[in-house]
Amino acid sequence: MDILFVVPYPELEPVVQEVYRDYPEKDRVTVEFKVMTVDMVRQYKMEREYDVLVGRNFTFEELKRQYPTKPVINIPITGYDIVQALYEAKNMYHCRKAGIVGRFFHMYQYEHMEEITGVKTSYHPVAQGHDLEYCVAEAVSQGCDCIIGGYSAYLYLKNSRTDLPVVTIKVSRETIFNVLEEAVHIAEEVKKEKEKSELFRIITQISNAGIFYVNDKGQIEIANREARKLFPNVQTLFGGGGGLSKANCSVYAGGSGTLF
C-alpha cells in the first residue's frame, strides 16, 4: 500500500517523519513525504501509483482536481491550531488584530478565540490561490497588523516586500497521527477493492471451470456460470446454498477471501 503525504510547510516534515517512525503499523504501508506548495503540486508528475493522497487547504483541493478517481484526505486545521497561531502572533509581533486568511475557519469561533487570546480577529476567505493579494489587502484595510494563514499566505507575504508579519498555522502531532491512521485504513480498503477486481478478471477469463468466491465471513459472493451448472441450487452472499466440492472447482487464494 502506497500513500503520498504532501507536507504543508517545511518545518512540519521532521515531525511527520517522527510520527511515521513511531507509527505501530508502519510495516504495512509505504508513505512518501513531499513538501510542496499548490503550484508545485500542479507541476508534480507521479513517479509511481499511489493508493491514497494527503494534502491540506489548497494542495488538498488541487490533488482532488488532478486525481478525481483517487481518495484524497484533508489535513484539518482545528480551532486549537488557530489559537496557537494567535498566541504566536501576539508574543512575537505584539499583534493587536490578526487577519485570518484561508479556507479553514468558521465564523462562530471568532468570539471564543478573541476572548482566549486577547487578539482581535477578522476572517478573509480565499477562493483560489491568486485571491491572496486581495484578501491580505482587505485585512490591512480593516486594521489588521498581522496575517495568519497557511504556507501559501506565508510565501506570498515573504515575497511581496512588505513588513507585515505573518504566522503559519501549524499542525499538531495528534492531527498528523489521526490523518496517517485514516490514510492507512483507506489504503487497506483500496487494496481490497483491487483484489476483488482481480478476482472478477480471473472469473471472466476462465470459462471452463466452476468458480466460487467465498469472503472472509464464509459467504459466497460470486459464482460464475460453470459453478452454477455444477451446483444449481447455490445462492450467493446472503442466500443459502448447497455444499461445494473442490474436485470440480478451481482454487485461488486472495487477500480477503478464497476462490474455489
Side-chain angles (χ1 to χ4, degrees), residues 38-104:
V38 62
D39 291 331
M40 293 170 68
V41 170
R42 291 192 184 105
Q43 300 174 10
Y44 177 66
K45 302 299 181 184
M46 289 189 178
E47 298 174 354
R48 68 171 189 267
E49 189 73 15
Y50 295 100
D51 299 306
V52 180
L53 312 175
V54 178
R56 184 178 87 160
N57 210 8
F58 296 126
T59 57
F60 166 72
E61 296 293 339
E62 183 62 25
L63 287 170
K64 287 201 305 181
R65 187 190 70 80
Q66 284 198 42
Y67 308 101
T69 61
K70 290 185 178 294
V72 184
I73 300 175
N74 184 38
I75 303 172
I77 294 178
T78 66
Y80 172 81
D81 298 330
I82 297 176
V83 166
Q84 292 300 109
L86 288 170
Y87 272 127
E88 183 178 340
K90 181 180 180 180
N91 295 332
M92 291 184 62
Y93 305 112
H94 308 288
C95 178
R96 296 183 300 276
K97 184 176 181 179
I100 302 173
V101 176
R103 281 185 295 177
F104 37 69

Side-chain angles (χ1 to χ4, degrees), residues 69-208:
T69 61
K70 290 185 178 294
V72 184
I73 300 175
N74 184 38
I75 303 172
I77 294 178
T78 66
Y80 172 81
D81 298 330
I82 297 176
V83 166
Q84 292 300 109
L86 288 170
Y87 272 127
E88 183 178 340
K90 181 180 180 180
N91 295 332
M92 291 184 62
Y93 305 112
H94 308 288
C95 178
R96 296 183 300 276
K97 184 176 181 179
I100 302 173
V101 176
R103 281 185 295 177
F104 37 69
F105 195 70
H106 298 290
M107 296 287 289
Y108 68 84
Q109 293 178 309
Y110 275 164
E111 295 181 3
H112 301 294
M113 293 187 180
E114 291 182 352
E115 291 173 1
I116 293 170
T117 63
V119 179
K120 292 185 178 298
T121 59
S122 62
Y123 177 46
H124 307 274
V126 179
Q128 298 292 336
H130 58 259
D131 293 336
L132 280 170
E133 181 178 1
Y134 170 81
C135 291
V136 170
E138 183 183 60
V140 172
S141 70
Q142 294 181 14
C144 296
D145 55 1
C146 181
I147 297 297
I148 289 174
Y151 192 55
S152 294
Y154 172 84
L155 289 178
Y156 167 74
L157 283 166
K158 288 301 179 183
N159 295 327
S160 61
R161 298 180 181 179
T162 177
D163 295 330
L164 186 66
V166 57
V167 173
T168 302
I169 299 173
K170 310 297 193 301
V171 180
S172 69
R173 186 182 298 267
E174 180 183 7
T175 296
I176 294 300
F177 179 86
N178 291 338
V179 169
L180 184 59
E181 187 100 291
E182 182 181 358
V184 171
H185 173 73
I186 293 177
E188 288 176 339
E189 294 301 316
V190 170
K191 180 183 178 183
K192 290 179 181 178
E193 288 302 315
K194 286 183 177 179
E195 288 175 349
K196 189 172 292 187
S197 297
E198 177 65 11
L199 294 178
F200 275 108
R201 187 189 68 81
I202 292 172
I203 288 172
T204 57
Q205 288 183 353
I206 302 176
S207 60
N208 60 350

Side-chain angles (χ1 to χ4, degrees), residues 3-55:
I3 297 171
L4 174 63
F5 196 115
V6 179
V7 182
Y9 53 93
E11 294 81 4
L12 185 63
E13 186 174 18
V15 178
V16 172
Q17 294 279 10
E18 185 178 343
V19 171
Y20 178 59
R21 283 196 302 269
D22 295 338
Y23 186 66
E25 301 180 61
K26 65 179 179 181
D27 294 337
R28 295 163 49 200
V29 63
T30 300
V31 183
E32 184 171 359
F33 301 99
K34 288 187 176 293
V35 180
M36 291 193 289
T37 64
V38 62
D39 291 331
M40 293 170 68
V41 170
R42 291 192 184 105
Q43 300 174 10
Y44 177 66
K45 302 299 181 184
M46 289 189 178
E47 298 174 354
R48 68 171 189 267
E49 189 73 15
Y50 295 100
D51 299 306
V52 180
L53 312 175
V54 178

